[in-house]
Structures are given as structure tokens and as C-alpha cells.
Amino acid sequence: ASGRIRSAAFATKVMSAEEAVGFIHPADTVAISGFGGAGTPKAVVPALAERIRETRATGSNFTINLLTGASVTSQTEKLLTEVDGIALRMPYQAESTARKKINDGRMDYVDIHLSHVAQQVWEGYYGKVDVAVVEIAGITEDGELIPSSSIGNNKTWLDVADKVILEVNSWVPAEMEGMHDVYYGTALPPNRTPIQLTRVEDRIGQPTFRVDPAKVIAVVETHGRDGANPLTPSDGVSQAIAGHVLDFFAHEVRAGRLPADSLLPLQAGIGNVANAVLGGLDRGGYKGLTCYSEVIQDSMLRLVKDGTVAHASATALALSEEGIEELTANIDFYREHIILRPQEISNHPEIVRRLGVIAMNGMLEADIYGNVNSTHVMGTKIMNGIGGSGDFARNGYVSMFLSPSTARGGTISAIVPMVPHVDHTEHDTQVIVTEHGLADLRGLSPRRRAHLIIENCAHPEYRPMLHDYFKRAEAQPGAGQTPHLLGEAFGFHQRYLETGSMR
Ligand code: 0RQ
């Protein structure tokens, strides 16, 4: 025993993962913890996959509906997908086995805004949640649960599920206790009240989850590390994009729209480009910046340590092994500067709007008018999902989309005449950035936006084709507010499908 279970009532429920999965039945809706690489159950999911495999071997069917915070570790996604264990998946995945099954039409996938998950489950859109499997760092004397390295939707899973299986993971630093802020004030209409969070560092909830002990049917002890997040060194393209973003911040400060030292709370997606932007902030002379985002990456720890960032709020850690070591070694310091919250709060439209968050997200492609596709390759095949990008983009003070100007060795242009799938409409997109430049679309009509996006953001190789498309569209009689050649609007995509290149 790890000493993490301080409540006697829970200690009597300790059992193996193999025993615990006996409580999960075919056709159950199972809600598990996990957000990115952090806080996914380590023992129960593999045991469940094994149970499904054994059941299938006897000729019986066994699928579950799987609800999570966002993506979970690839291992988790793979294990359950490979045994054909998932009938329906919600709300986000980022794993190739699952992606293939979804795109083959063999797994239902519901791709929704991360801020909507908790409320939609409360509203009953996904039926009743039979079992919640939630990783925690420990159980207090009073039977409250100390959250793990991510919070995601765990509060909601614990509230709504009929049965609860807890995984107490002694690998999670015990000193994280006190870093979390779990808000219990959300209600459904007509009983909603304002969420009193007015600064990034505000604590409006409690450090632990509550759970009805009668629902807890099993406690499983584990000692397993989170799925480490391999760091990709930032390349020239990412650095160029970051450079444009940093210039833009300086420009906005000069225009009096952003405070000079601290800007406004930053939200950055994960990956290369976000890392490069964050990495450049300490060279920008900023002090006391804040972040109101989904995840905390290694680059953020460095910024917090040197005072560039004063406070960072998110719903999950996304740290490498070195990052976890750094956090643990200096936990008393970081606990003062980092807050983890439920994703309905980290991504809440009301708060994102109030704080004036600067939203920076990746995209697959944008069209010449600023509509953005973040999710569907060639308009049909899901990549990951919309995740939190819409929560931040729609409600941010400035909404930026960042991407290299081409993909797959230059055969795909990230700027196209019309996106074949829209996640963020022209009304939600204010700034587009590629390595070639930045298009500030605020205050511009569609025709003016088109010119700017092509000139500033498209790869030079694709600019003449895009200009040609726009000119011919604009020259038509009755070209309209947003000129298009409807028969040709997806010509770039069709050409790629037929020839392997948009060129
Ligand atoms: O494919 O991995 O097979 O090489 O897409 O592309 O350029 O590495 O960019 O990792 O930032 O991902 C939109 C997917 C961008 C991501 C998306 C291919 C390209 C490559 C990845 P390979 P890059 P990124 C988080 C908010 C939605 C969720 C979100 C995403 C792969 O940003 O999932 O924003 N966003 N959450 O080859 C076909 C195109 C393509 C393309 C790129 N136009 N067509 N394939 N690719 N462009 C909020 C937080 O706070 C965490």
C-alpha cells in the first residue's frame, strides 16, 4: 500500500484491476479520466481491453461507449480500438488506430467543443453514464479525492456515473495536493449564475473532488507514469511563425490594445509552433504574463520559473519526464503559480471572453476569406477533432490561427480557395499566420481579406493560382459579397486527390 488512501472507508474497497473490470458490462457508457498524456487510468483500461478480448474470443460482443476529457494516451486508445471495444467515442482523439477506424466508418465519433462535454452529459445527450474510471493522486481522511495530473471532466464523471472505480496512482507527486481548483458552481439553465473568476490566478473552488462513497465500487492502486510527451525541437518554420506572432504583440502594444508588460492571458495549442511562440516570449522582455489555456507544457515551466509568466491556468499538465522532474523538485514554487481546473472552466466561453484571452491555435487550412478547417483532411477524413480551439477562438480577444503555409512536402497549400470543412468561420478568425507572414483580418471586408491572406500567408508557389481564382471569381457578374467560382472552389483538393498534389 502506498499510504495514499487516508480514508478507512475507501481502503476496504481496494482490489485488482482485473477484479474491478468485472463491474463493467457490454454496452456500458464508460467515462474515464485523462487529458492528453496526463491522468489516464493506467491499470483498469488494459484490464478492460483484455476482458473484451476474452469475451470476443467466446463469440460474444463487447463494446462500450467511451467518454474522456480530450485525447488519452495512444496506448489507451490503441488497446481499446484494437479489440474493437469502442462503439462510440467522444469528444477528442489523436491516435492513428482510432482515427482509421473512425474514418472507415467502423467507430462512431462525436467531435464537440471541449467546454460542452460536461454540460451535454448532464443534459443527457449521451444517456446515462454507467461507470466512471478516474485516476487520482490520493484520498483524504474525509474521503475527498486529490486530483491527478489532469482534471478534464473528472468532476462531472464522478457526479454523474452510477458506479465509480478509482485508480490511486502513487507516481503522481503527492505534493501536487493544493494545485487544483475544482469549481462546484455550474448548473444547468435556468439556474446558472455568473462564474466569479475575474483573474487568471483566482481560486473559486476547492482543491479536491467530492464523491458519494456509496458509488465507489472499487479502488485500484497503481504506480504508473503519464504518457511522456516527446519534445520536438522547434524548426525554422515554427520559429518564423513565432517571430510574426511576437511582432504582432509588439504592434498591438504600440496601438494601445494590449498592456505593455503583461499583454493579456495567452492560450496556445500544443506542438511545435506553440512551443516556439512560448519559447520566444522570454526574449520579448515581458514580465508577469498570464496564461489561460488547456495544457501546461515544458516551455511554460521555464517561463514561470524566470518570472516571464506569473500565473498559468490549465486543465492538464503535458510535461516530458524532465518536466515532471522539474515540477516535483520545485513543487512549492510551482503550486503558487500553476492552477489546474475542470475543462468546463479552463475552456469556459464566459471566462475566455471576460479575461480577453489571446487565442493561438493550429489549423489544417484556411480559405482566402478566413474560414478555417482544423479537423478534416480533404474535407472528409478526421484528423483529431476540434478540441478546445473553438472555445478559445470564438470567445478570445484576438483569435489567431497558425500553420506552416504548406503540408506534405509542399503538395498541399494551407491556403485554399474554399475550405471543404469549416470549424471556425470567417467571423471567428481574426489573424492568420504562416512562416511567410501575418494577415490581420480585423475590420476588413471579405474581398480585402482575400487579398491580404494570399499576399501575406500563402506560399509564393501557390500565390498566382490563388490570385487567379480570386480575380476570376470577383470578375463574374453579380460576384457578391464573398466571390467564389462554385464549380471550382474545391479544385485544389480535387487535384490533390487525383494527382497527389495541389500544384
Ligand atoms: O501530418 O503528422 O502525418 O505529418 O497534419 O500538422 O503542421 O505538424 O501541425 O501538429 O499543429 O497540427 C490542426 C491537426 C495541426 C492541430 C492540427 C498534416 C501534416 C501533419 C500535423 P503528419 P502540423 P499541428 C488545443 C486546441 C485542433 C485541436 C485544437 C489540431 C499533421 O492543431 O488538431 O486546436 N487542432 N485544440 O502533414 C492535410 C492539410 C494539412 C495536413 C497539416 N491542409 N491537409 N494534412 N496536415 N495541414 C488547445 C490547447 O490549449 C492544447
Side-chain angles (χ1 to χ4, degrees), residues 426-464:
E426 54 163 338
H427 316 285
D428 299 334
T429 308
Q430 295 174 329
V431 176
I432 292 182
V433 194
T434 69
E435 73 278 22
H436 294 290
L438 179 146
D440 181 354
L441 310 177
R442 294 171 299 174
L444 300 184
S445 67
R447 291 176 192 226
R448 293 188 189 281
R449 291 202 295 262
H451 181 73
L452 206 62
I453 293 174
I454 297 171
E455 266 314 296
N456 292 11
C457 299
H459 191 282
E461 202 184 346
Y462 286 100
R463 273 180 214 162

Side-chain angles (χ1 to χ4, degrees), residues 35 92-94 99 111 114 267-274 292-297 314 318 347 360-366 372-379 383-390 392 401-409 412-416 423-424 493 496 502:
F35 197 107
Y92 188 83
Q93 59 72 42
R99 186 179 292 145
D111 176 26
L114 295 187
Q267 176 263 331
I270 36 179
N272 247 333
V273 175
Y292 200 79
S293 195
E294 265 176 31
V295 295
I296 307 266
Q297 309 184 77
N347 288 35
M360 295 177 278
N361 290 290
M363 63 178 188
L364 292 175
E365 55 185 351
V372 165
N373 173 12
S374 294
T375 57
H376 284 71
V377 173
M378 298 299 135
M383 184 63 153
N384 303 323
I386 193 166
S389 57
F392 292 101
F401 283 94
L402 325 174
S403 170
S405 65
T406 60
R408 304 211 178 135
I412 293 177
S413 171
I415 306 298
V416 293
D423 293 291
H424 312 288
H493 301 85
Y496 179 80
M502 286 185 174

